[in-house]
Amino acid sequence: MQPRLPGAEPAALPSEAVSHPLEIRGLDHVVVRVADLDRSLAFYRDALGCPEERRLDALGLVQLRAGSALIDLVPVDSPLGRAGGGAPAPDGRNVDHFCVQLERFDEPALRAHLERHQIEPGEVGERYGATGNGPSMYIRDPDGNVVELKGPAAG
C-alpha cells in the first residue's frame, strides 16, 4: 500500500549521538476519529488486543493501551469529534496510516486471528520502520484507516 519513493532510502544514522532539544523516544499516542465507537472497539480492543485504559464520555474519548503508547478513539459525533469536522471517508481521510510494532510476526497465526474477526489480512512485505527492515501487513479499521502491523526487524 505504501510504495517506496525513488531515492527514499533510510537516512544513515550518525556515528555519535548529537545533542538535540527534542529527543523523541517513540510514539506516545495516535488519535483516530471514528464513525461507530462500538465497531471500532471491536476492532482495536477485541481483534487487536488493545485494552481500554481510560474513558471520558463527556468529552468523547476512549483511550486504549497499545504497548507503551495509546490509541485514542474519538467518535465524530462527540464534543471532541465534532471539533475535527466531518467523518473520515474514502476520499477524505485525516491519516494515511499508522503502524503498531508487534513482538513477533507469525503470519499464519496473524491471518487466522484477523479472519476470525472479519478483518481482511493484507499482503506481507518486508518494510522499513523504526527498528529496521522487517515483515509487515496492512489492514483497515472499520472507518477505512490503514493500520500497519509491523514485526521485529530481521537479524
Side-chain angles (χ1 to χ4, degrees):
M1 286 194 190
Q2 269 304 8
R4 178 165 286 184
L5 300 174
E9 295 303 314
L13 295 175
S15 58
E16 295 182 21
V18 177
S19 178
H20 191 283
L22 296 174
E23 292 186 40
I24 296 175
R25 203 179 286 180
L27 290 179
D28 183 82
H29 68 277
V30 175
V31 180
V32 180
R33 300 175 68 246
V34 302
D36 183 326
L37 181 60
D38 290 334
R39 190 176 65 172
S40 294
L41 285 169
F43 179 84
Y44 289 101
R45 183 191 59 208
D46 302 341
L48 296 190
C50 299
E52 188 172 321
E53 182 161 310
R54 191 169 80 136
R55 183 183 285 249
L56 301 172
D57 290 324
L59 187 58
L61 173 68
V62 177
Q63 294 181 300
L64 306 174
R65 177 59 56 185
S68 64
L70 294 172
I71 298 173
D72 295 355
L73 302 179
V74 176
V76 294
D77 61 352
S78 71
L80 188 58
R82 282 191 294 275
D91 63 345
R93 294 180 287 140
N94 56 355
V95 171
D96 177 71
H97 80 279
F98 65 91
C99 178
V100 293
Q101 192 175 79
L102 305 179
E103 284 290 330
R104 63 193 160 283
F105 197 93
D106 178 344
E107 183 180 352
L110 276 173
R111 286 187 177 284
H113 177 77
L114 293 170
E115 288 167 353
R116 278 194 302 276
H117 288 275
Q118 288 81 48
I119 299 166
E120 184 179 339
E123 294 300 316
V124 171
E126 192 79 8
R127 298 181 179 92
Y128 186 80
T131 61
N133 283 312
S136 80
M137 170 192 299
Y138 293 106
I139 59 175
R140 291 192 180 271
D141 79 0
D143 290 288
N145 294 303
V146 177
V147 179
E148 181 179 356
L149 305 176
K150 178 85 168 53

